[in-house]
Amino acid sequence: DTGVSQDPRHKITKRGQNVTFRCDPISEHNRLYWYRQTLGQGPEFLTYFQNEAQLEKSRLLSDRFSAERPKGSFSTLEIQRTEQGDSAMYLCASSPTGEYGYTFGSGTRLTVV
Amino acid sequence: GESVGLHLPTLSVQEGDNSIINCAYSNSASDYFIWYKQESGKGPQFIIDIRSNMDKRQGQRVTVLLNKTVKHLSLQIAATQPGDSAVYFCAENGIGNQFYFGTGTSLTVIP
C-alpha cells in the first residue's frame, strides 16, 4: 500500500444518472476526507470520517451526495441525479489521527454531459 | 468559508533561480498552514507545513515563512528545477479537520 487509491480515474455520465466513486486510504490512516476541485480552483472540503463515523459535512454536500465508510477502511461517495455543476475532480485524502498533513489520491474526474 | 488567496496566479522562473510564492489568509485564528504542490492529473502533494507559533520552517530546498501580523505566507523554493513546475496551493486549517485552500499559483520553470 503505497498511497491513496481512487477509482475510477475518469467518469463521464449523463445528467440525471447516479455515480459512485471509491477511495482506498493508506491502511493505517484512521481519517479520511473527500474534497472537490473545480478547474482553476483549490480543493473544497466535502466531508470527513474518523474510522467509520462521518464527523463533518460541508454545506456543499447537498442531499444528492452521500458518503460512507462502512468498515472504517475504504469509502464511497455517491452522487444521485447528477447535474452539470457536479463536473469536477473529486479528491480523497487520508491521515493518521492527530496529524493534519493529508495524503491525497489522484482523484476521480467527473464529467456530466 | 474562509478567504485564502494568492497574490500571483502565474509565475515563471529560470531554472536554477529561486522562486517565491505568496499567499494571504484572512482568519487570524488559523494555527496551522500547509503548502501543497499539484502536478497535472494528480492530487495535491504535501510539501511543508508550519504552525502559528513559528515564523519560519525549512525543508529540503523549500522554506515557508509566516507573518502573522499581516496574515501572509510565502513558499521559497531554492534552485528551482523543471520538476518544480506545478500549481502550488497554500491551505489553512478551518473548522474541525477541514482545510481551506487558496486558488493556486502556477509555477513554470524555464530551462
Side-chain angles (χ1 to χ4, degrees), chain A residues 9 31 33 35 37 40-43 45 48 56 59 91 100 102 104-106, chain B residues 1 32 34 36 38 41 43-44 51 89 95-99 101-103:
Chain A
R9 290 295 310 275
R31 294 181 172 179
Y33 311 82
Y35 277 75
Q37 185 176 25
Q41 300 296 316
F45 173 82
Y48 151 65
E56 294 174 27
R59 289 171 296 175
L91 292 162
Y100 279 128
Y102 301 165
F104 278 93
S106 293
Chain B
Y32 185 71
I34 303 177
Y36 283 93
Q38 187 172 27
R51 295 196 178 276
F89 294 97
I95 301 168
N97 289 278
Q98 61 182 282
F99 273 81
F101 285 75
T103 54

PDB file of all heavy atoms in Angstrom, chain A residues 9 31 33 35 37 40-43 45 48 56 59 91 100 102 104-106, chain B residues 1 32 34 36 38 41 43-44 51 89 95-99 101-103:
ATOM      1  N   ARG A   9     -10.612   6.680 -12.371  1.00  0.00           N
ATOM      2  CA  ARG A   9      -9.856   7.916 -12.559  1.00  0.00           C
ATOM      3  C   ARG A   9     -10.682   8.939 -13.316  1.00  0.00           C
ATOM      4  O   ARG A   9     -10.572  10.145 -13.077  1.00  0.00           O
ATOM      5  CB  ARG A   9      -8.559   7.641 -13.332  1.00  0.00           C
ATOM      6  CG  ARG A   9      -7.517   6.865 -12.544  1.00  0.00           C
ATOM      7  CD  ARG A   9      -6.998   7.659 -11.334  1.00  0.00           C
ATOM      8  NE  ARG A   9      -6.590   9.015 -11.666  1.00  0.00           N
ATOM      9  CZ  ARG A   9      -5.399   9.353 -12.126  1.00  0.00           C
ATOM     10  NH1 ARG A   9      -4.485   8.434 -12.330  1.00  0.00           N
ATOM     11  NH2 ARG A   9      -5.106  10.618 -12.388  1.00  0.00           N
ATOM     12  N   ARG A  31      -8.252   8.602   9.477  1.00  0.00           N
ATOM     13  CA  ARG A  31      -9.061   9.708   8.983  1.00  0.00           C
ATOM     14  C   ARG A  31      -9.125   9.700   7.466  1.00  0.00           C
ATOM     15  O   ARG A  31      -8.117   9.456   6.799  1.00  0.00           O
ATOM     16  CB  ARG A  31      -8.485  11.040   9.474  1.00  0.00           C
ATOM     17  CG  ARG A  31      -8.592  11.186  10.978  1.00  0.00           C
ATOM     18  CD  ARG A  31      -8.048  12.505  11.454  1.00  0.00           C
ATOM     19  NE  ARG A  31      -8.331  12.694  12.875  1.00  0.00           N
ATOM     20  CZ  ARG A  31      -7.951  13.747  13.577  1.00  0.00           C
ATOM     21  NH1 ARG A  31      -7.270  14.709  12.989  1.00  0.00           N
ATOM     22  NH2 ARG A  31      -8.248  13.849  14.847  1.00  0.00           N
ATOM     23  N   TYR A  33     -10.923  11.900   4.072  1.00  0.00           N
ATOM     24  CA  TYR A  33     -11.557  13.147   3.674  1.00  0.00           C
ATOM     25  C   TYR A  33     -11.950  13.085   2.203  1.00  0.00           C
ATOM     26  O   TYR A  33     -11.250  12.473   1.388  1.00  0.00           O
ATOM     27  CB  TYR A  33     -10.580  14.324   3.844  1.00  0.00           C
ATOM     28  CG  TYR A  33      -9.890  14.379   5.186  1.00  0.00           C
ATOM     29  CD1 TYR A  33      -8.775  13.603   5.448  1.00  0.00           C
ATOM     30  CD2 TYR A  33     -10.345  15.244   6.175  1.00  0.00           C
ATOM     31  CE1 TYR A  33      -8.131  13.661   6.674  1.00  0.00           C
ATOM     32  CE2 TYR A  33      -9.709  15.318   7.407  1.00  0.00           C
ATOM     33  CZ  TYR A  33      -8.601  14.518   7.652  1.00  0.00           C
ATOM     34  OH  TYR A  33      -7.967  14.583   8.864  1.00  0.00           O
ATOM     35  N   TYR A  35     -12.744  15.845  -0.902  1.00  0.00           N
ATOM     36  CA  TYR A  35     -12.710  17.230  -1.361  1.00  0.00           C
ATOM     37  C   TYR A  35     -13.158  17.258  -2.814  1.00  0.00           C
ATOM     38  O   TYR A  35     -13.058  16.267  -3.536  1.00  0.00           O
ATOM     39  CB  TYR A  35     -11.285  17.807  -1.281  1.00  0.00           C
ATOM     40  CG  TYR A  35     -10.872  18.319   0.080  1.00  0.00           C
ATOM     41  CD1 TYR A  35     -10.550  17.437   1.113  1.00  0.00           C
ATOM     42  CD2 TYR A  35     -10.791  19.683   0.337  1.00  0.00           C
ATOM     43  CE1 TYR A  35     -10.168  17.907   2.362  1.00  0.00           C
ATOM     44  CE2 TYR A  35     -10.407  20.168   1.581  1.00  0.00           C
ATOM     45  CZ  TYR A  35     -10.098  19.272   2.594  1.00  0.00           C
ATOM     46  OH  TYR A  35      -9.724  19.737   3.821  1.00  0.00           O
ATOM     47  N   GLN A  37     -12.645  19.595  -6.401  1.00  0.00           N
ATOM     48  CA  GLN A  37     -11.819  20.636  -7.018  1.00  0.00           C
ATOM     49  C   GLN A  37     -12.328  20.920  -8.416  1.00  0.00           C
ATOM     50  O   GLN A  37     -12.358  20.034  -9.271  1.00  0.00           O
ATOM     51  CB  GLN A  37     -10.354  20.192  -7.064  1.00  0.00           C
ATOM     52  CG  GLN A  37      -9.413  21.259  -7.581  1.00  0.00           C
ATOM     53  CD  GLN A  37      -7.965  20.832  -7.528  1.00  0.00           C
ATOM     54  OE1 GLN A  37      -7.650  19.638  -7.546  1.00  0.00           O
ATOM     55  NE2 GLN A  37      -7.052  21.795  -7.450  1.00  0.00           N
ATOM     56  N   GLY A  40      -9.124  25.314 -12.056  1.00  0.00           N
ATOM     57  CA  GLY A  40      -8.540  26.585 -11.693  1.00  0.00           C
ATOM     58  C   GLY A  40      -8.749  26.996 -10.251  1.00  0.00           C
ATOM     59  O   GLY A  40      -8.369  28.092  -9.850  1.00  0.00           O
ATOM     60  N   GLN A  41      -9.322  26.101  -9.471  1.00  0.00           N
ATOM     61  CA  GLN A  41      -9.587  26.407  -8.067  1.00  0.00           C
ATOM     62  C   GLN A  41      -8.876  25.420  -7.152  1.00  0.00           C
ATOM     63  O   GLN A  41      -8.455  24.345  -7.572  1.00  0.00           O
ATOM     64  CB  GLN A  41     -11.092  26.349  -7.780  1.00  0.00           C
ATOM     65  CG  GLN A  41     -11.928  27.321  -8.594  1.00  0.00           C
ATOM     66  CD  GLN A  41     -11.601  28.762  -8.284  1.00  0.00           C
ATOM     67  OE1 GLN A  41     -11.447  29.156  -7.122  1.00  0.00           O
ATOM     68  NE2 GLN A  41     -11.466  29.571  -9.323  1.00  0.00           N
ATOM     69  N   GLY A  42      -8.762  25.810  -5.902  1.00  0.00           N
ATOM     70  CA  GLY A  42      -8.227  24.887  -4.922  1.00  0.00           C
ATOM     71  C   GLY A  42      -9.294  23.911  -4.464  1.00  0.00           C
ATOM     72  O   GLY A  42     -10.490  24.127  -4.671  1.00  0.00           O
ATOM     73  N   PRO A  43      -8.886  22.824  -3.836  1.00  0.00           N
ATOM     74  CA  PRO A  43      -9.863  21.842  -3.329  1.00  0.00           C
ATOM     75  C   PRO A  43     -10.785  22.456  -2.289  1.00  0.00           C
ATOM     76  O   PRO A  43     -10.375  23.309  -1.498  1.00  0.00           O
ATOM     77  CB  PRO A  43      -8.972  20.767  -2.706  1.00  0.00           C
ATOM     78  CG  PRO A  43      -7.643  20.909  -3.385  1.00  0.00           C
ATOM     79  CD  PRO A  43      -7.494  22.377  -3.640  1.00  0.00           C
ATOM     80  N   PHE A  45     -13.534  21.391   0.789  1.00  0.00           N
ATOM     81  CA  PHE A  45     -13.882  20.308   1.699  1.00  0.00           C
ATOM     82  C   PHE A  45     -15.325  19.859   1.498  1.00  0.00           C
ATOM     83  O   PHE A  45     -16.236  20.677   1.363  1.00  0.00           O
ATOM     84  CB  PHE A  45     -13.689  20.800   3.136  1.00  0.00           C
ATOM     85  CG  PHE A  45     -14.179  19.843   4.189  1.00  0.00           C
ATOM     86  CD1 PHE A  45     -13.387  18.774   4.585  1.00  0.00           C
ATOM     87  CD2 PHE A  45     -15.410  20.020   4.798  1.00  0.00           C
ATOM     88  CE1 PHE A  45     -13.822  17.902   5.563  1.00  0.00           C
ATOM     89  CE2 PHE A  45     -15.859  19.153   5.781  1.00  0.00           C
ATOM     90  CZ  PHE A  45     -15.057  18.089   6.163  1.00  0.00           C
ATOM     91  N   TYR A  48     -15.683  14.390   6.122  1.00  0.00           N
ATOM     92  CA  TYR A  48     -14.564  13.801   6.859  1.00  0.00           C
ATOM     93  C   TYR A  48     -15.052  12.637   7.710  1.00  0.00           C
ATOM     94  O   TYR A  48     -16.113  12.723   8.331  1.00  0.00           O
ATOM     95  CB  TYR A  48     -13.922  14.902   7.715  1.00  0.00           C
ATOM     96  CG  TYR A  48     -13.265  14.458   8.995  1.00  0.00           C
ATOM     97  CD1 TYR A  48     -12.151  13.632   8.975  1.00  0.00           C
ATOM     98  CD2 TYR A  48     -13.746  14.903  10.227  1.00  0.00           C
ATOM     99  CE1 TYR A  48     -11.539  13.252  10.152  1.00  0.00           C
ATOM    100  CE2 TYR A  48     -13.137  14.525  11.411  1.00  0.00           C
ATOM    101  CZ  TYR A  48     -12.034  13.699  11.375  1.00  0.00           C
ATOM    102  OH  TYR A  48     -11.426  13.322  12.533  1.00  0.00           O
ATOM    103  N   GLU A  56     -17.914  15.287   9.959  1.00  0.00           N
ATOM    104  CA  GLU A  56     -18.122  16.639   9.439  1.00  0.00           C
ATOM    105  C   GLU A  56     -18.637  16.575   8.015  1.00  0.00           C
ATOM    106  O   GLU A  56     -18.217  15.726   7.228  1.00  0.00           O
ATOM    107  CB  GLU A  56     -16.822  17.442   9.462  1.00  0.00           C
ATOM    108  CG  GLU A  56     -16.283  17.732  10.852  1.00  0.00           C
ATOM    109  CD  GLU A  56     -14.928  18.412  10.815  1.00  0.00           C
ATOM    110  OE1 GLU A  56     -14.638  19.104   9.815  1.00  0.00           O
ATOM    111  OE2 GLU A  56     -14.158  18.242  11.773  1.00  0.00           O
ATOM    112  N   ARG A  59     -21.497  22.352   3.676  1.00  0.00           N
ATOM    113  CA  ARG A  59     -22.763  22.776   3.052  1.00  0.00           C
ATOM    114  C   ARG A  59     -22.776  22.413   1.571  1.00  0.00           C
ATOM    115  O   ARG A  59     -23.829  22.369   0.943  1.00  0.00           O
ATOM    116  CB  ARG A  59     -22.928  24.288   3.198  1.00  0.00           C
ATOM    117  CG  ARG A  59     -23.223  24.725   4.622  1.00  0.00           C
ATOM    118  CD  ARG A  59     -23.154  26.233   4.737  1.00  0.00           C
ATOM    119  NE  ARG A  59     -21.819  26.721   4.462  1.00  0.00           N
ATOM    120  CZ  ARG A  59     -21.493  28.009   4.392  1.00  0.00           C
ATOM    121  NH1 ARG A  59     -22.403  28.932   4.555  1.00  0.00           N
ATOM    122  NH2 ARG A  59     -20.259  28.374   4.149  1.00  0.00           N
ATOM    123  N   LEU A  91     -11.517  14.483  -4.930  1.00  0.00           N
ATOM    124  CA  LEU A  91     -10.277  14.043  -4.305  1.00  0.00           C
ATOM    125  C   LEU A  91     -10.548  13.402  -2.957  1.00  0.00           C
ATOM    126  O   LEU A  91     -11.347  13.890  -2.176  1.00  0.00           O
ATOM    127  CB  LEU A  91      -9.348  15.239  -4.083  1.00  0.00           C
ATOM    128  CG  LEU A  91      -8.773  15.900  -5.332  1.00  0.00           C
ATOM    129  CD1 LEU A  91      -8.248  17.290  -4.993  1.00  0.00           C
ATOM    130  CD2 LEU A  91      -7.658  15.052  -5.913  1.00  0.00           C
ATOM    131  N   TYR A 100      -2.325  16.554  10.771  1.00  0.00           N
ATOM    132  CA  TYR A 100      -3.086  17.335   9.806  1.00  0.00           C
ATOM    133  C   TYR A 100      -2.653  17.085   8.365  1.00  0.00           C
ATOM    134  O   TYR A 100      -3.394  17.334   7.443  1.00  0.00           O
ATOM    135  CB  TYR A 100      -2.920  18.829  10.095  1.00  0.00           C
ATOM    136  CG  TYR A 100      -3.808  19.361  11.192  1.00  0.00           C
ATOM    137  CD1 TYR A 100      -3.267  20.081  12.235  1.00  0.00           C
ATOM    138  CD2 TYR A 100      -5.175  19.168  11.151  1.00  0.00           C
ATOM    139  CE1 TYR A 100      -4.073  20.608  13.222  1.00  0.00           C
ATOM    140  CE2 TYR A 100      -5.992  19.697  12.141  1.00  0.00           C
ATOM    141  CZ  TYR A 100      -5.428  20.415  13.177  1.00  0.00           C
ATOM    142  OH  TYR A 100      -6.232  20.934  14.159  1.00  0.00           O
ATOM    143  N   TYR A 102      -2.428  15.763   5.109  1.00  0.00           N
ATOM    144  CA  TYR A 102      -3.135  14.747   4.332  1.00  0.00           C
ATOM    145  C   TYR A 102      -2.215  14.126   3.301  1.00  0.00           C
ATOM    146  O   TYR A 102      -1.311  14.765   2.782  1.00  0.00           O
ATOM    147  CB  TYR A 102      -4.258  15.361   3.498  1.00  0.00           C
ATOM    148  CG  TYR A 102      -5.347  16.120   4.181  1.00  0.00           C
ATOM    149  CD1 TYR A 102      -6.168  16.937   3.410  1.00  0.00           C
ATOM    150  CD2 TYR A 102      -5.588  16.041   5.531  1.00  0.00           C
ATOM    151  CE1 TYR A 102      -7.199  17.653   3.977  1.00  0.00           C
ATOM    152  CE2 TYR A 102      -6.619  16.768   6.110  1.00  0.00           C
ATOM    153  CZ  TYR A 102      -7.415  17.567   5.327  1.00  0.00           C
ATOM    154  OH  TYR A 102      -8.441  18.282   5.887  1.00  0.00           O
ATOM    155  N   PHE A 104      -3.152  12.881  -0.397  1.00  0.00           N
ATOM    156  CA  PHE A 104      -4.249  12.863  -1.361  1.00  0.00           C
ATOM    157  C   PHE A 104      -4.073  11.738  -2.371  1.00  0.00           C
ATOM    158  O   PHE A 104      -2.943  11.351  -2.714  1.00  0.00           O
ATOM    159  CB  PHE A 104      -4.281  14.189  -2.141  1.00  0.00           C
ATOM    160  CG  PHE A 104      -4.973  15.313  -1.444  1.00  0.00           C
ATOM    161  CD1 PHE A 104      -4.257  16.205  -0.664  1.00  0.00           C
ATOM    162  CD2 PHE A 104      -6.337  15.495  -1.569  1.00  0.00           C
ATOM    163  CE1 PHE A 104      -4.882  17.251  -0.019  1.00  0.00           C
ATOM    164  CE2 PHE A 104      -6.984  16.536  -0.933  1.00  0.00           C
ATOM    165  CZ  PHE A 104      -6.259  17.424  -0.152  1.00  0.00           C
ATOM    166  N   GLY A 105      -5.204  11.263  -2.876  1.00  0.00           N
ATOM    167  CA  GLY A 105      -5.185  10.386  -4.035  1.00  0.00           C
ATOM    168  C   GLY A 105      -5.129  11.227  -5.300  1.00  0.00           C
ATOM    169  O   GLY A 105      -5.090  12.459  -5.242  1.00  0.00           O
ATOM    170  N   SER A 106      -5.113  10.571  -6.443  1.00  0.00           N
ATOM    171  CA  SER A 106      -5.040  11.274  -7.718  1.00  0.00           C
ATOM    172  C   SER A 106      -6.387  11.781  -8.200  1.00  0.00           C
ATOM    173  O   SER A 106      -6.460  12.506  -9.186  1.00  0.00           O
ATOM    174  CB  SER A 106      -4.423  10.373  -8.783  1.00  0.00           C
ATOM    175  OG  SER A 106      -3.070  10.116  -8.473  1.00  0.00           O
TER     176      SER A 106
ATOM    177  N   GLY B   1     -17.112  30.607   3.737  1.00  0.00           N
ATOM    178  CA  GLY B   1     -15.850  29.988   4.068  1.00  0.00           C
ATOM    179  C   GLY B   1     -14.774  31.032   4.273  1.00  0.00           C
ATOM    180  O   GLY B   1     -14.988  32.231   4.115  1.00  0.00           O
ATOM    181  N   TYR B  32      -2.460  26.581  11.741  1.00  0.00           N
ATOM    182  CA  TYR B  32      -1.678  25.579  11.028  1.00  0.00           C
ATOM    183  C   TYR B  32      -1.841  25.807   9.544  1.00  0.00           C
ATOM    184  O   TYR B  32      -2.959  25.997   9.064  1.00  0.00           O
ATOM    185  CB  TYR B  32      -2.160  24.177  11.424  1.00  0.00           C
ATOM    186  CG  TYR B  32      -1.355  23.047  10.848  1.00  0.00           C
ATOM    187  CD1 TYR B  32      -0.074  22.771  11.283  1.00  0.00           C
ATOM    188  CD2 TYR B  32      -1.898  22.243   9.845  1.00  0.00           C
ATOM    189  CE1 TYR B  32       0.658  21.723  10.748  1.00  0.00           C
ATOM    190  CE2 TYR B  32      -1.175  21.196   9.320  1.00  0.00           C
ATOM    191  CZ  TYR B  32       0.098  20.939   9.776  1.00  0.00           C
ATOM    192  OH  TYR B  32       0.823  19.903   9.258  1.00  0.00           O
ATOM    193  N   ILE B  34      -0.352  24.698   5.457  1.00  0.00           N
ATOM    194  CA  ILE B  34       0.339  23.702   4.642  1.00  0.00           C
ATOM    195  C   ILE B  34       0.492  24.250   3.225  1.00  0.00           C
ATOM    196  O   ILE B  34      -0.404  24.917   2.706  1.00  0.00           O
ATOM    197  CB  ILE B  34      -0.443  22.372   4.578  1.00  0.00           C
ATOM    198  CG1 ILE B  34      -0.709  21.798   5.974  1.00  0.00           C
ATOM    199  CG2 ILE B  34       0.314  21.337   3.737  1.00  0.00           C
ATOM    200  CD1 ILE B  34      -1.542  20.519   5.957  1.00  0.00           C
ATOM    201  N   TYR B  36       0.947  22.843  -0.617  1.00  0.00           N
ATOM    202  CA  TYR B  36       0.813  21.660  -1.451  1.00  0.00           C
ATOM    203  C   TYR B  36       1.274  21.983  -2.872  1.00  0.00           C
ATOM    204  O   TYR B  36       1.129  23.103  -3.352  1.00  0.00           O
ATOM    205  CB  TYR B  36      -0.643  21.195  -1.530  1.00  0.00           C
ATOM    206  CG  TYR B  36      -1.151  20.470  -0.315  1.00  0.00           C
ATOM    207  CD1 TYR B  36      -1.804  21.157   0.701  1.00  0.00           C
ATOM    208  CD2 TYR B  36      -0.991  19.102  -0.184  1.00  0.00           C
ATOM    209  CE1 TYR B  36      -2.292  20.498   1.816  1.00  0.00           C
ATOM    210  CE2 TYR B  36      -1.469  18.434   0.934  1.00  0.00           C
ATOM    211  CZ  TYR B  36      -2.116  19.138   1.926  1.00  0.00           C
ATOM    212  OH  TYR B  36      -2.588  18.480   3.031  1.00  0.00           O
ATOM    213  N   GLN B  38       0.681  20.587  -6.821  1.00  0.00           N
ATOM    214  CA  GLN B  38      -0.202  19.737  -7.613  1.00  0.00           C
ATOM    215  C   GLN B  38       0.259  19.739  -9.065  1.00  0.00           C
ATOM    216  O   GLN B  38       0.222  20.772  -9.730  1.00  0.00           O
ATOM    217  CB  GLN B  38      -1.657  20.181  -7.521  1.00  0.00           C
ATOM    218  CG  GLN B  38      -2.630  19.218  -8.186  1.00  0.00           C
ATOM    219  CD  GLN B  38      -4.082  19.559  -7.928  1.00  0.00           C
ATOM    220  OE1 GLN B  38      -4.432  20.701  -7.692  1.00  0.00           O
ATOM    221  NE2 GLN B  38      -4.957  18.539  -7.966  1.00  0.00           N
ATOM    222  N   GLY B  41      -3.035  16.346 -13.496  1.00  0.00           N
ATOM    223  CA  GLY B  41      -3.611  15.000 -13.436  1.00  0.00           C
ATOM    224  C   GLY B  41      -3.375  14.266 -12.135  1.00  0.00           C
ATOM    225  O   GLY B  41      -3.722  13.091 -12.012  1.00  0.00           O
ATOM    226  N   GLY B  43      -3.254  14.402  -7.602  1.00  0.00           N
ATOM    227  CA  GLY B  43      -3.748  15.073  -6.421  1.00  0.00           C
ATOM    228  C   GLY B  43      -2.674  15.947  -5.796  1.00  0.00           C
ATOM    229  O   GLY B  43      -1.482  15.818  -6.111  1.00  0.00           O
ATOM    230  N   PRO B  44      -3.065  16.858  -4.914  1.00  0.00           N
ATOM    231  CA  PRO B  44      -2.082  17.714  -4.236  1.00  0.00           C
ATOM    232  C   PRO B  44      -1.111  16.881  -3.412  1.00  0.00           C
ATOM    233  O   PRO B  44      -1.491  15.887  -2.796  1.00  0.00           O
ATOM    234  CB  PRO B  44      -2.956  18.592  -3.337  1.00  0.00           C
ATOM    235  CG  PRO B  44      -4.315  18.567  -3.956  1.00  0.00           C
ATOM    236  CD  PRO B  44      -4.451  17.206  -4.546  1.00  0.00           C
ATOM    237  N   ARG B  51       3.324  25.767  11.893  1.00  0.00           N
ATOM    238  CA  ARG B  51       2.338  26.124  12.909  1.00  0.00           C
ATOM    239  C   ARG B  51       2.470  27.607  13.239  1.00  0.00           C
ATOM    240  O   ARG B  51       3.515  28.217  13.010  1.00  0.00           O
ATOM    241  CB  ARG B  51       2.547  25.276  14.169  1.00  0.00           C
ATOM    242  CG  ARG B  51       2.277  23.797  13.908  1.00  0.00           C
ATOM    243  CD  ARG B  51       2.098  22.991  15.187  1.00  0.00           C
ATOM    244  NE  ARG B  51       1.788  21.598  14.865  1.00  0.00           N
ATOM    245  CZ  ARG B  51       0.564  21.158  14.595  1.00  0.00           C
ATOM    246  NH1 ARG B  51      -0.464  21.990  14.626  1.00  0.00           N
ATOM    247  NH2 ARG B  51       0.350  19.886  14.321  1.00  0.00           N
ATOM    248  N   PHE B  89      -0.490  25.404  -3.853  1.00  0.00           N
ATOM    249  CA  PHE B  89      -1.592  25.889  -3.028  1.00  0.00           C
ATOM    250  C   PHE B  89      -1.131  26.056  -1.588  1.00  0.00           C
ATOM    251  O   PHE B  89      -0.414  25.205  -1.055  1.00  0.00           O
ATOM    252  CB  PHE B  89      -2.743  24.871  -2.997  1.00  0.00           C
ATOM    253  CG  PHE B  89      -3.437  24.653  -4.300  1.00  0.00           C
ATOM    254  CD1 PHE B  89      -3.085  23.590  -5.116  1.00  0.00           C
ATOM    255  CD2 PHE B  89      -4.445  25.503  -4.718  1.00  0.00           C
ATOM    256  CE1 PHE B  89      -3.733  23.377  -6.327  1.00  0.00           C
ATOM    257  CE2 PHE B  89      -5.095  25.306  -5.918  1.00  0.00           C
ATOM    258  CZ  PHE B  89      -4.740  24.240  -6.725  1.00  0.00           C
ATOM    259  N   ILE B  95     -12.544  25.076  10.426  1.00  0.00           N
ATOM    260  CA  ILE B  95     -13.370  24.465  11.459  1.00  0.00           C
ATOM    261  C   ILE B  95     -13.146  22.954  11.465  1.00  0.00           C
ATOM    262  O   ILE B  95     -13.113  22.319  10.414  1.00  0.00           O
ATOM    263  CB  ILE B  95     -14.863  24.763  11.193  1.00  0.00           C
ATOM    264  CG1 ILE B  95     -15.096  26.271  11.177  1.00  0.00           C
ATOM    265  CG2 ILE B  95     -15.742  24.078  12.232  1.00  0.00           C
ATOM    266  CD1 ILE B  95     -16.449  26.671  10.642  1.00  0.00           C
ATOM    267  N   GLY B  96     -12.974  22.391  12.635  1.00  0.00           N
ATOM    268  CA  GLY B  96     -12.793  20.945  12.721  1.00  0.00           C
ATOM    269  C   GLY B  96     -11.531  20.513  12.024  1.00  0.00           C
ATOM    270  O   GLY B  96     -10.459  21.070  12.263  1.00  0.00           O
ATOM    271  N   ASN B  97     -11.653  19.543  11.158  1.00  0.00           N
ATOM    272  CA  ASN B  97     -10.484  18.987  10.486  1.00  0.00           C
ATOM    273  C   ASN B  97     -10.384  19.390   9.025  1.00  0.00           C
ATOM    274  O   ASN B  97      -9.599  18.822   8.283  1.00  0.00           O
ATOM    275  CB  ASN B  97     -10.517  17.463  10.595  1.00  0.00           C
ATOM    276  CG  ASN B  97     -10.232  17.003  12.000  1.00  0.00           C
ATOM    277  OD1 ASN B  97      -9.082  16.922  12.406  1.00  0.00           O
ATOM    278  ND2 ASN B  97     -11.278  16.742  12.762  1.00  0.00           N
ATOM    279  N   GLN B  98     -11.184  20.334   8.591  1.00  0.00           N
ATOM    280  CA  GLN B  98     -11.110  20.730   7.199  1.00  0.00           C
ATOM    281  C   GLN B  98     -10.074  21.820   6.997  1.00  0.00           C
ATOM    282  O   GLN B  98      -9.714  22.544   7.920  1.00  0.00           O
ATOM    283  CB  GLN B  98     -12.480  21.196   6.706  1.00  0.00           C
ATOM    284  CG  GLN B  98     -13.030  22.391   7.436  1.00  0.00           C
ATOM    285  CD  GLN B  98     -14.408  22.742   6.903  1.00  0.00           C
ATOM    286  OE1 GLN B  98     -14.535  23.348   5.849  1.00  0.00           O
ATOM    287  NE2 GLN B  98     -15.438  22.371   7.638  1.00  0.00           N
ATOM    288  N   PHE B  99      -9.603  21.903   5.767  1.00  0.00           N
ATOM    289  CA  PHE B  99      -8.659  22.934   5.377  1.00  0.00           C
ATOM    290  C   PHE B  99      -9.277  23.804   4.290  1.00  0.00           C
ATOM    291  O   PHE B  99     -10.059  23.329   3.464  1.00  0.00           O
ATOM    292  CB  PHE B  99      -7.366  22.303   4.855  1.00  0.00           C
ATOM    293  CG  PHE B  99      -6.391  21.997   5.951  1.00  0.00           C
ATOM    294  CD1 PHE B  99      -6.524  20.854   6.712  1.00  0.00           C
ATOM    295  CD2 PHE B  99      -5.351  22.867   6.241  1.00  0.00           C
ATOM    296  CE1 PHE B  99      -5.642  20.576   7.739  1.00  0.00           C
ATOM    297  CE2 PHE B  99      -4.462  22.597   7.263  1.00  0.00           C
ATOM    298  CZ  PHE B  99      -4.606  21.454   8.013  1.00  0.00           C
ATOM    299  N   PHE B 101      -8.331  26.000   1.066  1.00  0.00           N
ATOM    300  CA  PHE B 101      -7.258  26.143   0.084  1.00  0.00           C
ATOM    301  C   PHE B 101      -7.419  27.439  -0.688  1.00  0.00           C
ATOM    302  O   PHE B 101      -8.544  27.882  -0.970  1.00  0.00           O
ATOM    303  CB  PHE B 101      -7.312  24.992  -0.928  1.00  0.00           C
ATOM    304  CG  PHE B 101      -6.811  23.679  -0.401  1.00  0.00           C
ATOM    305  CD1 PHE B 101      -7.560  22.921   0.480  1.00  0.00           C
ATOM    306  CD2 PHE B 101      -5.572  23.196  -0.807  1.00  0.00           C
ATOM    307  CE1 PHE B 101      -7.091  21.705   0.964  1.00  0.00           C
ATOM    308  CE2 PHE B 101      -5.108  21.978  -0.339  1.00  0.00           C
ATOM    309  CZ  PHE B 101      -5.863  21.232   0.545  1.00  0.00           C
ATOM    310  N   GLY B 102      -6.302  28.030  -1.077  1.00  0.00           N
ATOM    311  CA  GLY B 102      -6.322  29.158  -1.987  1.00  0.00           C
ATOM    312  C   GLY B 102      -6.551  28.680  -3.409  1.00  0.00           C
ATOM    313  O   GLY B 102      -6.705  27.486  -3.671  1.00  0.00           O
ATOM    314  N   THR B 103      -6.536  29.629  -4.348  1.00  0.00           N
ATOM    315  CA  THR B 103      -6.810  29.290  -5.742  1.00  0.00           C
ATOM    316  C   THR B 103      -5.582  28.768  -6.481  1.00  0.00           C
ATOM    317  O   THR B 103      -5.695  28.248  -7.563  1.00  0.00           O
ATOM    318  CB  THR B 103      -7.364  30.500  -6.512  1.00  0.00           C
ATOM    319  OG1 THR B 103      -6.466  31.592  -6.356  1.00  0.00           O
ATOM    320  CG2 THR B 103      -8.727  30.887  -5.999  1.00  0.00           C
TER     321      THR B 103
END
